[in-house]
């Protein structure tokens, strides 16, 4: 909501409204001219609404066959300034951990392939908007059986 201030005056908004308060629903510049019948003042503000895209978009499944396509657990990150990922098995054992967003899990643990099935992932991150608050996303990724 944008408020032209000082009730009882005349208002002319760039939206065409003549009320003291208008709702800013779209990104853009909003301007208001306020008059008391003698003095006229104008002001404007630029409003930018951020894209509400989820900052973490993970893959649902992959097949670790070194084929160059869909063979690692990959994710898309939007606006992330700090990052940590953990992959665990169903008993909570950490199989993969990294603070490097370019390092992807290849489906191995201690140099050996893990069995096909579901594995838990947790990504902790901060964005410019979250400040010092650590955000957490959790989910499951499925490793598919290699085809012969």
């Amino acid at each position: 909501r944008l408020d032209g201030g000082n009730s009882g005056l005349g208002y002319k908004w760039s939206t065409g409204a003549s009320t003291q308060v208008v709702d800013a629903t779209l990104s853009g510049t909003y301007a208001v001219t306020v008059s008391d019948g003698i003095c006229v003042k104008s002001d404007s503000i630029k409003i930018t609404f951020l894209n509400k895209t989820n900052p973490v978009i993970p893959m649902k499944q992959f097949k670790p066959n070194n084929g160059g396509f869909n063979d690692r657990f990959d994710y898309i990150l939007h606006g992330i300034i700090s990052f940590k990922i953990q992959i665990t098995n169903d008993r909570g054992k950490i199989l993969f951990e990294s603070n490097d967003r370019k390092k992807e899990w290849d489906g191995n643990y201690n140099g050996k392939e893990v069995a096909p099935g579901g594995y838990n992932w947790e990504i902790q991150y901060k964005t410019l908007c979250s400040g010092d608050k650590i955000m957490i996303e959790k989910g499951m990724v499925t490793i598919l059986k290699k085809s012969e």
Side-chain angles (χ1 to χ4, degrees), residues 103-120:
K103 189 173 181 183
E104 302 162 344
W105 185 43
D106 61 3
N108 287 309
Y109 175 67
N110 284 341
K112 296 183 180 178
E113 293 177 11
V114 298
Y119 293 86
N120 301 304

Side-chain angles (χ1 to χ4, degrees), residues 57-59 62 64 66 68-77 83 85-87 95-109 123 141 143:
I57 303 172
M59 292 175 64
F62 71 102
N66 294 321
F69 178 75
N70 199 30
D71 56 1
R72 295 176 178 272
F73 178 58
D74 194 7
Y75 31 82
I76 298 171
L77 305 173
F83 165 87
I85 184 170
Q86 282 187 339
I87 308 288
L95 306 177
F96 175 80
E97 187 172 37
S98 179
N99 292 320
D100 182 353
R101 41 172 108 181
K102 293 179 182 170
K103 189 173 181 183
E104 302 162 344
W105 185 43
D106 61 3
N108 287 309
Y109 175 67
I123 295 177
V141 61
I143 293 185

Side-chain angles (χ1 to χ4, degrees), residues 13-70:
W13 289 91
S14 56
T15 63
S18 58
T19 57
Q20 178 181 338
V21 177
V22 296
D23 288 322
T25 57
L26 300 171
S27 293
T29 300
Y30 291 80
V32 63
T33 300
V34 180
S35 173
D36 66 0
I38 300 171
C39 185
V40 176
K41 292 283 187 174
S42 296
D43 201 358
S44 65
I45 186 169
K46 183 176 181 175
I47 304 283
T48 303
F49 290 99
L50 300 176
N51 187 348
K52 292 188 177 186
T53 300
N54 188 343
V56 178
I57 303 172
M59 292 175 64
K60 304 267 188 229
Q61 60 188 20
F62 71 102
K63 187 186 298 186
N65 61 5
N66 294 321
F69 178 75
N70 199 30

